[in-house]
Amino acid sequence: MGVRTALEWLSSCSGCEIAILNIGEDLVALLTEHLDIVHAPVIMDHKYYGQCGDEGDHLEIPEAVIGIVTGGVSNEEHIEVLEEMRKKCKILIALGSCATQGGIPALMNGQNSAQSFAEIYQSPSTDEGSSLPDQGVPKLLDRTYALDERVKIDLMLPGCPPNPAHIAEVITALLENRDPELPTKSVCDSCPTKREGKGSVNTVKRYVENVEFDPNKPISEMRCLLEQGFMCMGPVTAAGCAKRGAPSCIEARVPCRGCFGSVLPKGNQMLDMMNALASNGIDFKSVVDRRSLLRFSGAHGNLRPKKKAAMKEDV
Ligand code: SF4
Ligand code: SF4
Ligand code: SF4
């Protein structure tokens, strides 16, 4: 018998579950020798209210030692499922940037949730004139929450999606009863690009402009993209994506967009990035949509609807 493990997904795109599959061969050993998956709606049918779907009067998830939850908390059903996972799992892991810092679904936090609901179901681009669904649809919350805003979380593993090697490390460490070895610094910390200590321009360059690099030279010969004037969020983003000696996007000569969320779980990537830009001599007012810097970390109250007086401005 392996260690009983339960998986759940809330406001999630299932990319984190694909990251689990991407553990590859090691996953086969974990599943055949060490883990006993007792609940995983993404891969196996399990009724929350008994196998006929109507036997119980409250939502039930089997007991497990390890619980892994992906996605943020956006509606009342998510709260119910998450609280049941907390109750039934000894160790609860928040997997992926949606679970740890709100991720993409928390972009909605920049608007009023009722307006978003109407926009999704009744706008000209979706289904103008239709009625809002009201049967069997869980009530939307005021905003999307990271898991640790609603229940106690034992371990956070960010990334959109997270690094499969780190998922395997976390599971293996738990099985071996030790602390997992995970990166704790920023994306810049694992970036080999050349830094000269001062930016070359004082306004942010648009992504349509080309990054300067020589394809025949190693990445260590390319100048830091932030110093080139691109909005590279490496300084304010948690490390973890580097697989072949450089952060994934930097290796592709593309600026970091911040998908691992803030270095500190409750940090604010937008405010931190303003400081990083200033340190590089770049005017933060040249950033067209500053709130978009919270595209992966809008939970924890970071991203909120604009106040009317601030609507004309872009913050
Ligand atoms: S963190 Fe990214 S990959 Fe994971 S559920 Fe959220 S959007 Fe999908
Ligand atoms: S800002 Fe970007 S390019 Fe520069 S060191 Fe950090 S991750 Fe690398
Ligand atoms: S470089 Fe930045 S955006 Fe790209 S994968 Fe790494 S953390 Fe995500």
Side-chain angles (χ1 to χ4, degrees), residues 208-221:
V208 288
E209 292 188 51
N210 288 333
V211 164
E212 284 174 31
F213 71 98
D214 182 340
N216 298 313
K217 290 190 176 164
I219 196 160
S220 54
E221 293 292 313

Side-chain angles (χ1 to χ4, degrees), residues 187-188 191 193 195 223-227 232-235 247 250 256:
V187 169
C188 289
C191 181
T193 56
R195 276 164 267 187
R223 186 157 184 205
C224 162
L225 301 183
L226 185 57
E227 289 189 0
C232 187
M233 293 183 68
I250 311 302
C256 170

